[in-house]
Amino acid sequence: MPASPSTARAINDRLALRLLQDEGPLTASQLKTLTGLSRPTVADLVERLQDSGLVRVVGEAGAERRGPNAKLYGIVSDRAHLAALDVRTRSVSVVVADLLGATLAEASLPVGDGTATEPAVEQAVALLERTAKEAGVGSLHSVGIGAPGLIDPATGELNDSSGLPAWHRRLVPALQERLPATVLVENETNLAAVAEQRVGAAQDCDTFVLLWLGQGVGAAVVLDGRLRRGASGGAGEIGFLPVPGTSGLPSATDCAGGFHELVCAAAVGALAVRHGLDPRSALASGDGPFLDALADRLAVGAAAVVSVLDPGCVVLAGETGHAGGAALAERVAERLSVLSPLRTEVRPTALGDTAVLRGALLAARDAAQDEVFGARDSAQA
């Protein structure tokens, strides 16, 4: 059945807003070309979007040609403001941005191991409030949070974990209580994968696996363009994967004996020392024997993932993947080609330490735009 006039208008407006989001400011003629809509239809939608406060004239185009310049239309970026938090075991980083995701202010703060739960939460909340104030933002529309641990798919809450600080779990409800904003929380590795897929190393991949290699070890699974979380939110808990070369077998509460034991930051540092290297610079040193030994370890876990999922691409992220770069990725790919008959490309992260924060900001931006643009759709219906 053909769409009703109001539905057609909503679809056209969404299409135009998405193009303005992805391509930047456009003229009415450019919108006509990109949407395939008629000139009168484009003129009507531009007028509607201007009247609703979602689009405004941001400049002119065509100064090089004769005749009047064409108006450039862009999304009203200060219609809503966003924030993203990257919550680590011993620190928290914050970025505040506009509706288009442009950074307005950012800050970070260490959180000491001995800090009690409530003071740690207060420090994190205060950091966000202070950063928003520095950005000139009175209120936030959406806040995205990336944190280690399992996210309950039914409730969206961060589950208890004996290996993580208690303040992580308390932070989300504290922000919900203090802020008139939508607060979203997602596993840090999943958010890193979202960022790599949209603006990083996996932009050309509908299916890939991201290995997070840092103090903790995990994986994010993207299949057919969709992030897969699993029945309990635990898809990708590769740190618990039993592998040869460890002290034993992991347990439900301890990943010692799992893949984590071979490739976590502490294990990588110990491997560097055994090769006579400074752990702080070993990954960037280009030392062949050390990188070879580390690639041997990484390939064992990567081969297990590849044999089950056949992702075609593995992205090495986290501090180890970032510092190891292309030299480490190439070595892992070579070993995978020996261990598995499935052709798999291995790439280093393109976003480095910013991946989680970028992913959290993308989540906040999507939520805000869905609501702000959706309100326009509802008004037309």
Side-chain angles (χ1 to χ4, degrees), residues 39-188:
R39 189 174 298 278
T41 299
V42 169
D44 288 343
L45 76 81
V46 167
E47 183 178 357
R48 287 195 303 273
L49 293 175
Q50 284 185 288
D51 290 343
S52 67
L54 292 176
V55 166
R56 64 186 169 203
V57 177
V58 297
E60 294 184 340
E64 71 284 352
R65 62 178 175 82
R66 299 171 63 181
N69 294 339
K71 294 178 181 178
L72 275 171
Y73 298 97
I75 292 175
V76 179
S77 59
D78 57 1
R79 178 68 180 265
H81 292 98
L82 327 167
L85 285 80
D86 180 1
V87 179
R88 305 290 178 94
T89 304
R90 299 181 181 88
S91 68
V92 58
S93 298
V94 173
V95 62
V96 175
D98 62 23
L99 183 59
L100 293 176
T103 297
L104 303 176
E106 53 190 330
S108 60
L109 181 75
V111 179
D113 289 339
T115 308
T117 298
E118 290 307 317
V121 169
E122 184 58 35
Q123 289 177 27
V125 175
L127 178 68
L128 174 57
E129 293 176 335
R130 185 165 63 250
T131 307
K133 184 177 180 180
E134 291 172 358
V137 173
S139 63
L140 293 167
H141 183 285
S142 301
V143 178
I145 303 173
L150 298 178
I151 308 298
D152 189 320
T155 65
E157 296 179 351
L158 184 65
N159 287 341
D160 284 317
S161 174
S162 58
L164 297 173
W167 66 269
H168 281 197
R169 180 171 169 79
R170 174 62 192 136
L171 178 59
V172 175
L175 288 171
Q176 291 171 333
E177 293 164 6
R178 293 269 286 268
L179 301 176
T182 299
V183 179
L184 312 165
V185 61
E186 180 59 272
N187 173 266
E188 60 178 353

Side-chain angles (χ1 to χ4, degrees), residues 24-367:
L26 298 169
T27 65
S29 179
Q30 289 171 323
L31 281 170
K32 174 182 178 297
T33 300
L34 291 170
T35 61
L37 300 173
S38 67
R39 189 174 298 278
T41 299
V42 169
D44 288 343
L45 76 81
V46 167
E47 183 178 357
R48 287 195 303 273
L49 293 175
Q50 284 185 288
D51 290 343
S52 67
L54 292 176
V55 166
R56 64 186 169 203
V57 177
V58 297
E60 294 184 340
E64 71 284 352
R65 62 178 175 82
R66 299 171 63 181
N69 294 339
K71 294 178 181 178
L72 275 171
Y73 298 97
I75 292 175
V76 179
S77 59
D78 57 1
R79 178 68 180 265
H81 292 98
L82 327 167
L85 285 80
D86 180 1
V87 179
R88 305 290 178 94
T89 304
R90 299 181 181 88
S91 68
V92 58
S93 298
V94 173
V95 62
V96 175
D98 62 23
L99 183 59
L100 293 176
T103 297
L104 303 176
E106 53 190 330
S108 60
L109 181 75
V111 179
D113 289 339
T115 308
T117 298
E118 290 307 317
V121 169
E122 184 58 35
Q123 289 177 27
V125 175
L127 178 68
L128 174 57
E129 293 176 335
R130 185 165 63 250
T131 307
K133 184 177 180 180
E134 291 172 358
V137 173
S139 63
L140 293 167
H141 183 285
S142 301
V143 178
I145 303 173
L150 298 178
I151 308 298
D152 189 320
T155 65
E157 296 179 351
L158 184 65
N159 287 341
D160 284 317
S161 174
S162 58
L164 297 173
W167 66 269
H168 281 197
R169 180 171 169 79
R170 174 62 192 136
L171 178 59
V172 175
L175 288 171
Q176 291 171 333
E177 293 164 6
R178 293 269 286 268
L179 301 176
T182 299
V183 179
L184 312 165
V185 61
E186 180 59 272
N187 173 266
E188 60 178 353
T189 305
N190 287 345
L191 287 178
V194 168
E196 295 287 359
Q197 182 186 28
R198 304 237 325 240
V199 296
Q203 292 183 65
D204 59 339
C205 298
D206 286 333
T207 295
F208 71 98
V209 168
L210 179 138
L211 294 185
W212 183 264
L213 307 165
Q215 290 186 3
V217 176
V221 179
V222 177
L223 301 177
D224 300 323
R226 293 182 58 191
L227 180 68
R228 307 292 178 167
R229 297 177 176 84
S232 62
E237 284 297 318
I238 194 174
F240 287 87
L241 178 72
V243 294
T246 58
S247 60
L249 291 173
S251 70
T253 58
D254 188 357
C255 53
F259 187 52
H260 177 276
E261 184 179 313
L262 288 183
V263 298
C264 69
V268 174
L271 182 64
V273 171
R274 286 204 292 275
H275 281 78
L277 302 173
D278 184 340
R280 295 169 296 182
S281 58
L283 284 161
S285 69
D287 183 84
F290 165 69
L291 291 176
D292 287 341
L294 179 56
D296 287 339
R297 294 183 176 192
L298 288 170
V300 172
V305 172
V306 166
S307 67
V308 174
L309 298 176
D310 186 18
C313 178
V314 172
V315 176
L316 303 183
E319 60 189 81
T320 297
H322 182 207
L328 180 60
E330 289 167 4
R331 284 171 165 82
V332 175
E334 290 171 1
R335 284 149 180 81
L336 266 180
S337 68
V338 175
L339 293 174
S340 172
L342 305 177
R343 186 174 179 179
T344 306
E345 185 177 1
V346 181
R347 304 176 182 178
T349 171
L351 302 177
D353 295 338
T354 68
V356 175
L357 207 54
R358 294 284 292 274
L361 187 58
L362 286 168
R365 191 187 76 181
D366 289 348

